[in-house]
Amino acid sequence: MHPLRLRLLGLWNTFKPQSYRPVIPSQVDHGALLSDIADALGQPPERIRDLWAGYQGLMANKDHVNTLGQIGTTSSEEAFALHCLLDFARPENLIEIGTYQGGSTRRILDSIDQLQLDTAVYTYDIEDMVRHFKPDEARLILRDVSGRVDEEILDRYPPGIIYLDAHPWQLLQDVLRAALKRDDWILAIHDCSPILCNPKMTIPKDEPRLISTRTGHWERHVLADVFGVEDPLDKRLDKLETQSHALRIFGTQHGLALIMPKALIRA
Ligand SMILES: C[S@@+](CC[C@H](N)C(=O)[O-])C[C@H]1O[C@@H](n2cnc3c(N)ncnc32)[C@H](O)[C@@H]1O
């Protein structure tokens, strides 16, 4: 798209009158979150409560909320869900897609340290904006894996966890569809809350530079499409099962989706 047209469309999408006005909640129901995580991972609730108690200490020691923020990045509650996932899966690798300044990477690295895991972290972006971790802590890879998720990730690393926090429609489609073909990779996706879902998206799917909180995000649209639900705001998307996978969207600030192969929950 021509840069001038892109700029005009960006301005129009930011300032046009519309009914879609997302307000991201600052409070999360911690009781509901802990019980949803226990349920999704098939873990005893007391295990998740113990992890939560330990996680409060970690957050306070590292001053995560003040140094990394809570909105527009992976919040403490979302990072805690990833912490429980790491504790559950104890993976060889965690692959993040969408690094930005490395706030979420920092939280993940601190969890790996606290849980005494030997998990390697690879984090993909298309631009280096990293501030919160050092090159010897996680490997930043500047590459767009759209259309090449099998070669670039699933067949390249031993199975583990993918944390997808980048917004392009094509990338979301490709990562989700590729992960669902496997029963050995766990996928978590940020920004799946109904609050960030504008049911009447007006931006083109092939122009990721226009996506913002004001336009709405594609995440729930893509989940609805791939899981065969017509309306992206349908509540059934928040807890859904296929023959091979279970999808759960936790009620956090931005909505964290967890897509688990059922074979791993039973194991
Ligand atoms: C919402 S930010 C990530 C925030 C970060 N995970 C955190 O919690 O602090 C989204 C990032 O995705 C990156 N991105 C956009 N398109 C991408 C692509 N095709 N592959 C990888 N990263 C991409 C952007 O450059 C941006 O840094």
Side-chain angles (χ1 to χ4, degrees):
M1 191 179 290
H2 189 278
L4 182 62
R5 183 169 151 71
L6 182 70
R7 176 118 183 85
L8 289 173
L9 264 174
L11 285 168
W12 168 243
N13 277 297
T14 306
F15 296 112
K16 74 178 172 192
Q18 59 173 355
S19 53
Y20 174 70
R21 286 192 179 275
V23 179
I24 296 176
S26 54
Q27 299 296 321
V28 169
D29 180 341
H30 290 152
L33 175 65
L34 268 56
S35 97
D36 286 351
I37 293 174
D39 188 40
L41 297 178
Q43 294 288 292
E46 52 278 15
R47 172 74 191 144
I48 303 299
R49 279 200 295 271
D50 284 352
L51 285 170
W52 179 238
Y55 196 73
Q56 309 283 319
L58 171 68
M59 276 192 320
N61 275 342
K62 303 281 180 182
D63 201 17
H64 280 163
V65 171
N66 287 323
T67 55
L68 305 174
Q70 281 282 81
I71 302 295
T73 178
T74 305
S75 69
S76 302
E77 287 78 1
E78 289 149 0
F80 174 66
L82 297 175
H83 182 89
C84 293
L85 201 51
L86 282 162
D87 176 70
F88 168 84
R90 311 184 81 77
E92 216 171 300
N93 297 292
L94 183 141
I95 316 294
E96 179 178 56
I97 306 176
T99 319
Y100 187 46
Q101 297 184 335
S104 45
T105 326
R106 178 74 271 146
R107 289 183 186 260
I108 288 164
L109 289 165
D110 291 342
S111 284
I112 288 171
D113 191 39
Q114 162 132 331
L115 295 167
Q116 301 183 331
L117 302 179
D118 207 8
T119 305
V121 177
Y122 300 87
T123 181
Y124 287 75
D125 207 297
I126 47 173
E127 207 184 323
D128 182 352
M129 294 169 274
V130 169
R131 291 177 44 199
H132 296 297
F133 65 89
K134 299 199 192 80
D136 62 347
E137 294 183 287
R139 178 150 170 234
L140 174 69
I141 301 170
L142 296 178
R143 199 170 303 155
D144 180 359
V145 301
S146 305
R148 292 177 298 143
V149 181
D150 286 307
E151 308 90 285
E152 289 288 350
I153 295 178
L154 302 181
D155 295 337
R156 184 178 192 144
Y157 305 98
I161 298 171
I162 299 175
Y163 177 43
L164 175 55
D165 188 11
H167 307 308
W169 182 87
Q170 191 64 56
L171 178 69
L172 289 162
Q173 282 274 346
D174 291 350
V175 175
L176 181 55
R177 287 187 189 279
L180 284 173
K181 281 198 238 128
R182 311 281 290 245
D183 62 4
D184 50 0
W185 280 89
I186 298 170
L187 174 61
I189 311 179
H190 199 232
D191 295 318
C192 296
S193 158
I195 293 164
L196 291 172
C197 175
N198 177 359
K200 295 186 181 135
M201 290 288 270
T202 53
I203 54 171
K205 287 176 175 159
D206 62 356
E207 187 38 272
R209 290 171 295 179
L210 287 171
I211 303 167
S212 75
T213 312
R214 285 301 311 272
T215 61
H217 288 257
W218 286 118
E219 277 71 354
R220 257 186 111 91
H221 289 265
V222 171
L223 285 170
D225 185 17
V226 172
F227 283 97
V229 174
E230 206 177 314
D231 176 3
L233 290 176
D234 193 323
K235 284 189 186 339
R236 280 178 301 166
L237 263 189
D238 297 326
K239 189 176 181 189
L240 182 151
E241 285 190 26
T242 66
Q243 239 179 350
S244 57
H245 287 77
L247 161 67
R248 191 70 174 249
I249 300 178
F250 300 126
T252 55
Q253 291 86 342
H254 314 85
L256 186 85
L258 174 61
I259 295 127
M260 286 283 289
K262 284 185 181 168
L264 294 185
I265 308 176
R266 276 196 297 272

